[in-house]
Amino acid sequence: MRIKKCLITAIICVFFILVLSGCNNSSSENSSADWSASFVVWDGYIYHLTDEYVDEIDGEIGVVTKYSDKEGTYSGNFSNVYEKGTKYFAIKGINTEEAIAIQEEGGKYRKVIREGKYGEK
């Protein structure tokens, strides 16, 4: 009788482990974006927002092509903060491999820092 109880308990445990292991969000599996933070993706790289604003920009380099606040992996220049059409700018004296600027309402340019290639963990 004791062996039967142990076997039933083991089967139940294995069942729960299998069920719980299937409860992950596979749509974000390839994303290296931290969705708890505000970010943009430009040219295949993730840039996280800073509190810093810049005055000297060096020309438009792109726009947000997709906005989503739902975690997942998206293509193109997208953001979990800025709406489609928001413009990206190069910053005078700073390489785009280090940082870019996002145009906000009122003509302000917020600095965003490059964190790494999008889609790599």
Side-chain angles (χ1 to χ4, degrees):
M1 185 69 162
R2 184 172 165 92
I3 293 175
K4 200 175 201 182
K5 282 184 180 181
C6 287
L7 183 59
I8 291 172
T9 302
I11 291 172
I12 291 172
C13 287
V14 169
F15 174 77
F16 280 114
I17 290 170
L18 290 174
V19 168
L20 292 175
S21 68
C23 294
N24 67 12
N25 187 351
S26 61
S27 67
S28 64
E29 196 170 276
N30 295 325
S31 173
S32 60
D34 175 5
W35 284 79
S36 65
S38 300
F39 67 89
V40 299
V41 173
W42 174 69
D43 199 27
Y45 290 89
I46 297 171
Y47 292 77
H48 284 107
L49 275 66
T50 69
D51 292 332
E52 184 179 347
Y53 287 88
V54 295
D55 296 320
E56 295 187 35
I57 56 162
D58 198 22
E60 184 179 327
I61 57 174
V63 298
V64 174
T65 57
K66 168 99 175 142
Y67 161 80
S68 180
D69 60 356
K70 293 179 178 35
E71 190 168 341
T73 303
Y74 301 98
S75 61
N77 297 332
F78 74 93
S79 177
N80 67 346
V81 177
Y82 296 99
E83 295 294 324
K84 182 177 178 178
T86 303
K87 296 178 181 181
Y88 299 156
F89 289 85
I91 302 169
K92 267 191 185 167
I94 299 177
N95 191 313
T96 57
E97 292 179 2
E98 181 183 334
I100 62 174
I102 305 299
Q103 186 175 27
E104 294 188 336
E105 290 183 24
K108 289 185 171 186
Y109 299 94
R110 183 184 290 250
K111 185 177 185 179
V112 291
I113 304 292
R114 183 159 132 175
E115 296 293 324
K117 188 109 175 116
Y118 176 69
E120 294 180 358
K121 292 191 179 212

